[in-house]
């Protein structure tokens, strides 16, 4: 939670979805936040340096967004339900650090 620039990937428009809850909590905690899925169509459309990419999306959609991405990402957080062997293998093979966890928990513990 020491990073500043977060990209949330998922449905960040529907208040009932975890991606939206994560986005709102990050903004309330004064992080820089951009969203891919319902707001931006691609990680490549993000207008800031990406410290943390938070995958809160169906793994089949997540892997496609990762594969098309050309931006540097410092670390990926894979939310529960967004994980897949394809995503983990892709991140490992491309030397992209990742953790499997929940940013809502991270925010409550460390912010």
């Amino acid at each position: 939670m020491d990073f500043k620039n977060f990209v949330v990937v998922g449905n960040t428009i529907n208040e009932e979805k975890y991606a939206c809850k994560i986005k709102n909590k990050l903004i309330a905690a004064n992080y820089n936040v951009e969203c891919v899925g319902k707001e931006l169509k691609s990680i490549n459309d993000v207008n800031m340096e990406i410290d943390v990419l938070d995958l809160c999306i169906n793994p089949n959609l997540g892997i496609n967004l990762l594969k098309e991405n050309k931006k540097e990402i410092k670390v990926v957080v894979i939310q529960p339900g967004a994980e897949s062997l394809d995503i983990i293998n892709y991140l490992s093979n491309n030397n992209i650090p990742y953790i499997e966890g929940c940013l809502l928990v991270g925010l409550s513990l460390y912010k």
Side-chain angles (χ1 to χ4, degrees):
M1 301 310 306
D2 290 336
F3 289 111
K4 196 66 181 157
N5 297 328
F6 285 74
V7 174
V8 180
V9 180
N11 186 340
T12 54
I13 306 268
N14 182 340
E15 295 286 331
E16 295 180 14
K17 299 291 186 177
Y18 277 101
C20 187
K21 293 175 185 185
I22 292 165
K23 172 186 86 169
N24 292 337
K25 291 273 189 180
L26 286 167
I27 291 169
N30 294 314
Y31 289 100
N32 301 318
V33 181
E34 289 198 35
C35 303
V36 173
K38 296 292 183 181
E39 297 180 49
L40 299 173
K41 295 298 178 199
S42 170
I43 299 166
N44 295 315
D45 295 336
V46 171
N47 291 314
M48 64 181 179
E49 185 177 301
I50 302 172
D51 293 327
V52 179
L53 181 82
D54 181 51
L55 292 177
C56 194
I57 193 168
N58 179 296
N60 293 329
L61 299 173
I63 190 65
N64 290 337
L65 288 168
L66 286 170
K67 285 182 176 178
E68 74 174 14
N69 175 52
K70 305 230 182 299
K71 292 183 150 279
E72 181 182 341
I73 300 168
K74 291 182 182 162
V75 67
V76 173
V77 175
I78 306 169
Q79 296 285 146
E83 73 277 4
S84 75
L85 191 55
D86 285 342
I87 288 174
I88 290 169
N89 286 339
Y90 178 83
L91 295 172
S92 295
N93 291 339
N94 288 282
N95 298 314
I96 302 170
Y98 69 91
I99 59 170
E100 294 182 67
C102 179
L103 279 183
L104 291 176
V105 173
L107 281 164
S108 68
L109 291 174
Y110 302 110
K111 191 65 180 166

